[in-house]
């Protein structure tokens, strides 16, 4: 919870060992990195907007984690958090993003023409294709920390930008707090409507405060381009369509993002980005591209193959159920997407999805014919 | 003795601690409103009007009282510990409420919240507590259980009797705002004091972080174990932070006196027994409370109390006595009578299901307890429950014999 700026100073009256959280039963990236010494060293700092170390780690203290799933356990409250608390966040980022070093540079490539292929995934297997990312607007604090006034200002700016789009991006904004029942029904049937976060990972970080004030959804008339405002990030941008034409989805994604960015820049509120961390988002796991490109694909045979998980790891892909993160697959249909976010570009990540899914569909077809797939198992990408 | 925290206590004006003599009871410091020092003003990047919450769909006491003018006046203030208005009202903003049930919608982060944000809290207190005006009225405290009469109910109807309240340790922030160090200090102070109880109050402390599986199962079977709060009313106020650090349960060996540490308040104190001897339950309650108070005072601590608000707790609804005295009572015939609600209203009682607040009654068994908390003493409230439950049992007996029952007259209005 974002306490007043004076609260952190008050805490400094108490000894480090009295304030240091008990992380003995915790399994998340923050708990692995944060020692009592490190806590003592950086606990007196605040970002210019008043975000503190305890604010950063509260979600990780409250959510000890799971023996099998390693959550991040910390969030940023503003762009400066990644600098002011770098002694904690750099090692967390390194652990989460495959050894990414503080001196590494991240490549941004939103030129859809650089993607090879991707327009021919077999629609008998690939049911839908989707690419999402997040964007934070420079000059505002992030969802764990922002006040109502700030959130509304973000919404206002976003709505201006989004409703000025034309062509295939022309659409409408639906604020959560004033949508009609009919609009709500429609958005639910379209699978567009996002709900108040229930996950304690998010609520303990303060991201659901004041719900549904300042939150809303914009989508284009064709229902292939969608922007969430003030959910887990300032903006979540989604391009999606049924079938396997990932190339078209990615093109729309890139073009739409660049149009939106231009409009924000004109208002002197470009996106948060730097050459080390790429696009800055609330959760350290989404730094870099913030991109999750994926498909819903039918792999009933391959998914039960003993080597399925290994194949995914080698292809740098991850599986989820069709409800998204933390859901189970239904009817052998999986959500397959890129595992990486930081250290490789958007084009590179979507390329991995396109190539990997293509290969897995071929494996599925082989297994249907009763043939072995061992020779097709790829080397680690 | 009180280490880091003693300087916080000594900065307040000491009036003196009076001990209990016979029936008269006064204790603690008198907190003068004008002596509370405010912290440095809160830095805000937006004007109050931009940050004023949208409360148009809300139905809670905070939403009823928080005008844009009050918000503008208080939004840049903080208590000496740094607790702000936005923090205090967050739970009410996040939980719009229910058309039938009006929640409070605001909490205190520390004792000073009731001073610094009094422009908002006073009208909320007045609405919630039947017109009690903290700026002009005084709250009576009376923990002399010998005054209770007719407090032994017919055990064919009353299955169990229970009295609970809360106590806060002066000088330490409340659950919505406390730091980990403060919460751990609350635990140390309370557990240390409880270790000094003897005789029928001899007992043991079970820390939530260290209890064994066997201990946990026993506490569940005894219906003693409290869980991490799931109600958004509490979680949105930040009371579940750092769970289960510094939380625990103490109970006496006889399992009739129980203290929760660092759940929704610093302490929740519960006296309970099977059967209908409410007087004995209340006697043990008072004895235990007064003994704990004496033990913490020996060590230089005291409870948060003042003569306007009585015992200071996290939720404004629990000010005054913080007392809920109740029974589980079998009233199958009365439960079907449409006049029950009116009868309870006039007796100043409320019904809950046997799972506690927000649960349904099962098998005609209700949890019946006092509605009021502030402006009436503990003795007065327990006597109200005693008189009311006796009346309800009489009604049930009459209905059993096929006789009619009467709705009792409404009470005299207590506060203007």
């Amino acid at each position: 919870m974002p306490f007043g700026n004076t609260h952190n100073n008050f805490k400094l009256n108490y000894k480090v060992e009295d304030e240091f959280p008990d992380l003995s039963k915790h399994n998340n990236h923050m708990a692995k990195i944060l020692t009592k010494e490190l806590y003592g060293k950086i606990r007196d700092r605040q970002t210019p907007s008043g975000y503190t170390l305890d604010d950063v780690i509260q979600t990780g203290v409250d959510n000890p984690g799971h023996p099998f799933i390693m959550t991040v356990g910390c969030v940023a409250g503003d762009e400066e958090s990644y600098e002011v608390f770098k002694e904690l966040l750099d090692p967390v980022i390194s652990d989460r993003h495959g050894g990414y070093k503080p001196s590494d540079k991240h490549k941004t490539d939103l030129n859809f023409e650089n993607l090879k292929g991707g327009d021919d995934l077999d629609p008998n297997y690939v049911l839908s294709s989707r690419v999402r990312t997040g964007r934070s607007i420079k000059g505002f604090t992030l969802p764990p920390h922002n006040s109502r006034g700030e959130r509304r200002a973000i919404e206002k700016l976003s709505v201006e930008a989004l409703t000025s789009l034309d062509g295939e991006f022309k659409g409408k904004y639906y604020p959560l707090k004033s949508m009609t029942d009919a609009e709500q029904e429609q958005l639910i049937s379209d699978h567009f409507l996002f709900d108040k976060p229930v996950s304690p990972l998010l609520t303990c970080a303060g991201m659901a405060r004041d719900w549904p004030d300042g939150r809303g959804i914009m989508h284009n008339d064709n229902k292939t381009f969608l922007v969430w405002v003030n959910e887990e990030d300032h903006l979540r941008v989604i391009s999606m369509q049924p079938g396997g034409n990932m190339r078209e989805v990615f093109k729309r994604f890139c073009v739409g993002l660049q149009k939106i960015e231009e409009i924000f820049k004109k208002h002197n509120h470009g996106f948060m980005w730097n050459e080390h961390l790429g696009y800055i988002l609330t959760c350290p796991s989404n730094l870099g591209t913030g991109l999750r490109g994926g498909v819903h694909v039918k792999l009933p045979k391959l998914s039960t193959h003993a080597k399925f998980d290994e194949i995914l790891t080698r292809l740098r892909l991850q599986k989820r159920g069709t409800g998204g993160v933390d859901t189970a697959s239904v009817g052998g249909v999986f959500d397959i997407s890129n595992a990486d976010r930081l250290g490789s570009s958007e084009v590179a990540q979507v390329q991995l999805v396109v190539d990997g899914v293509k290969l897995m569909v071929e494996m599925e077809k082989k297994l249907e014919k009763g043939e072995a797939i061992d020779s097709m198992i790829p080397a680690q990408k | 003795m009180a280490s880091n925290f003693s300087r916080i206590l000594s900065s307040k004006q000491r009036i003196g601690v009076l001990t209990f003599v016979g029936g008269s009871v006064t204790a603690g410091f008198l907190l003068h409103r004008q002596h509370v020092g405010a912290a440095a003003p809160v830095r805000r990047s937006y004007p109050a009007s931009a940050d004023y919450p949208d409360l148009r769909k809300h139905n809670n006491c905070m939403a009823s009282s928080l005008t844009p003018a009050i918000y503008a006046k208080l939004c840049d203030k903080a208590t000496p510990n740094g607790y702000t208005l936005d923090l205090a009202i967050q739970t009410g903003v996040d939980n719009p409420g229910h058309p039938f049930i009006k929640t409070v919608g605001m909490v205190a982060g520390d004792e000073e919240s009731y001073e610094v944000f009094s422009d908002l809290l006073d009208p909320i207190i007045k609405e919630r507590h039947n017109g009690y005006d903290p700026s002009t009225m005084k709250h009576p405290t009376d923990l002399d259980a010998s005054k209770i009469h007719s407090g032994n109910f017919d055990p064919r109807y009353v299955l169990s009797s229970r009295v609970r309240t809360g106590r806060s340790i002066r000088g330490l922030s409340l659950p919505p705002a406390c730091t980990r160090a403060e919460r751990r200090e609350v635990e140390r102070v309370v557990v240390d004091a409880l270790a000094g109880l003897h005789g029928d109050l001899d007992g043991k402390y079970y820390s939530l972080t260290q209890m064994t599986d066997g201990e946990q199962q026993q506490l569940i079977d005894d219906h003693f174990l409290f869980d991490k709060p799931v109600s958004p009313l509490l979680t949105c106020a930040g009371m579940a932070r750092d769970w289960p650090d510094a939380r625990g349960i103490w109970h006496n060996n006889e399992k009739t006196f129980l203290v929760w540490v660092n759940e929704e308040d610093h302490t929740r104190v519960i006296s309970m027994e099977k059967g209908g001897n409410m007087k004995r339950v209340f006697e043990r309650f008072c004895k235990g409370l007064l003994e704990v108070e004496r033990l913490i005072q020996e060590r230089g601590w005291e409870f948060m109390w003042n003569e306007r608000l009585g015992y200071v707790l996290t939720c404004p609804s629990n000010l005054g006595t913080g007392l809920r005295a109740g029974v589980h009572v079998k009233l199958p015939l009365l439960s079907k009578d449409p006049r029950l609600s009116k009868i309870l209203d006039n007796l100043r009682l409320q019904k809950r299901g046997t799972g506690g607040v927000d649960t349904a009654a099962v098998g005609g068994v209700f949890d019946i307890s006092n509605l009021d908390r502030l402006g009436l003493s503990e003795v007065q409230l327990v006597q109200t429950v005693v008189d009311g439950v006796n009346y309800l049992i009489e009604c049930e007996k009459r209905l059993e014999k096929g006789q009619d029952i009467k709705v009792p007259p409404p009470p005299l209005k207590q506060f203007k």
Side-chain angles (χ1 to χ4, degrees), chain A residues 1-8 10-11 13-22 25-26 39 46-51 54 57-58 61-64 139-140 147-154 176-178 196 200 204 208-211 213, chain B residues 4-5 7-8 39-43 46 49-54 56-57 71 78-84 86-87 89-90 93-95 171-173 176-182 184 188 209-210 228 235-238 240-243 245:
Chain A
M1 276 200 81
F3 281 87
N5 358 321
T6 51
H7 194 256
N8 200 49
F10 164 69
K11 261 185 244 177
N13 293 326
Y14 310 141
K15 295 195 280 233
V16 175
E17 40 273 22
D18 289 334
E19 282 294 352
F20 185 64
D22 179 354
K25 297 197 177 109
H26 286 58
Y39 183 81
Q46 292 187 29
T47 66
S49 72
Y51 206 64
D54 277 338
I57 67 173
Q58 190 67 56
V61 175
D62 289 345
N63 296 289
F140 295 104
S147 68
R148 283 179 292 273
E150 238 181 339
R151 201 185 297 112
R152 290 162 179 169
I154 292 163
L176 248 57
K177 69 176 174 184
S178 53
K196 179 169 172 174
C204 293
R209 287 172 301 125
D210 314 313
W211 201 273
D213 197 317
Chain B
N4 304 3
F5 306 91
R7 62 192 139 90
I8 302 169
V42 173
R43 170 182 45 223
Y46 287 79
S49 54
D51 274 326
Y52 181 71
D54 183 349
R56 289 171 295 173
K57 293 195 179 122
Y71 185 78
T79 66
N81 299 348
Y83 196 68
T84 63
D86 278 338
L87 289 168
I89 65 172
Q90 191 68 59
V93 176
D94 288 346
N95 296 291
L172 297 168
S173 306
C178 63
T179 73
R180 280 180 292 272
E182 285 185 297
R184 291 164 181 173
R188 268 195 288 273
T209 51
Q210 286 159 17
K228 179 169 172 174
T235 55
C236 293
R241 285 172 305 126
D242 314 313
W243 202 273
D245 196 318

Side-chain angles (χ1 to χ4, degrees), chain A residues 301-303 305 362-373:
Chain A
K301 290 196 160 19
L302 183 60
S303 61
H305 191 283
E362 277 163 34
M363 286 176 167
E364 181 73 18
K365 288 175 175 171
K366 273 257 159 124
L367 291 170
E368 280 171 16
K369 289 192 228 142
E371 294 168 16
I373 55 163

Side-chain angles (χ1 to χ4, degrees), chain B residues 152-181:
Chain B
N152 201 344
F153 303 120
D154 188 334
R156 290 174 296 168
Y157 295 88
V158 175
L159 307 177
S160 60
S161 307
R162 181 184 187 266
V163 181
R164 70 88 160 146
T165 188
R167 290 291 186 264
S168 310
I169 309 293
R170 174 160 283 158
L172 297 168
S173 306
L174 296 170
C178 63
T179 73
R180 280 180 292 272

Side-chain angles (χ1 to χ4, degrees), chain A residues 111-125:
Chain A
N111 189 346
F112 62 90
E113 314 232 351
N114 291 340
L115 183 71
K116 301 196 209 16
D119 53 357
D120 60 351
L121 297 174
D122 189 337
N124 292 318
Y125 294 84

Side-chain angles (χ1 to χ4, degrees), chain B residues 59-62 92 95-98 101-106 127-128 233:
Chain B
N59 183 41
N60 57 52
C61 298
M62 180 278 292
N95 296 291
H98 192 273
I101 305 170
K102 197 161 187 186
T103 44
V104 176
M106 180 167 179
E127 180 183 353
R128 181 62 179 217
L233 299 176

Side-chain angles (χ1 to χ4, degrees), chain B residues 263-382:
Chain B
E263 193 237 11
E264 185 182 335
D265 278 294
H266 284 173
T267 67
R268 282 290 178 95
V269 178
I270 301 147
S271 172
M272 58 202 271
E273 273 181 31
K274 290 248 182 296
N277 199 339
M278 177 61 91
K279 184 172 164 116
R280 189 166 65 202
V281 167
F282 187 54
E283 278 169 348
R284 186 180 311 108
F285 175 84
C286 295
K287 175 177 147 189
L289 267 177
L290 295 171
E291 190 53 17
V292 171
E293 183 160 24
R294 188 188 66 76
L295 288 162
I296 66 167
Q297 281 169 349
E298 265 178 13
R299 292 152 176 80
W301 296 92
E302 57 182 14
F303 292 142
M304 288 184 197
W305 180 95
N306 66 61
E307 65 174 13
R308 297 194 197 287
L309 298 177
Y311 289 102
V312 175
L313 294 175
T314 304
C315 182
S317 70
N318 280 322
L319 290 167
T321 59
L323 185 140
R324 194 170 92 84
V327 298
H328 281 190
V329 57
K330 267 194 298 211
L331 303 168
L333 296 174
L334 190 54
S335 70
K336 299 194 192 85
D337 195 302
R339 293 167 288 183
L340 177 59
S341 287
K342 190 79 187 133
I343 293 172
L344 290 172
D345 273 351
N346 288 356
L347 292 172
R348 300 299 304 159
L349 297 175
Q350 67 173 193
K351 72 180 197 288
R352 299 181 181 189
T354 47
V357 69
D358 296 334
T359 65
V362 175
V365 180
F366 289 95
D367 176 315
I368 302 287
S369 62
N370 52 298
L371 269 171
D372 302 311
R373 303 270 185 274
L374 174 64
L376 296 157
S377 74
E378 289 83 352
V379 164
Q380 286 173 302
L381 292 176
V382 172

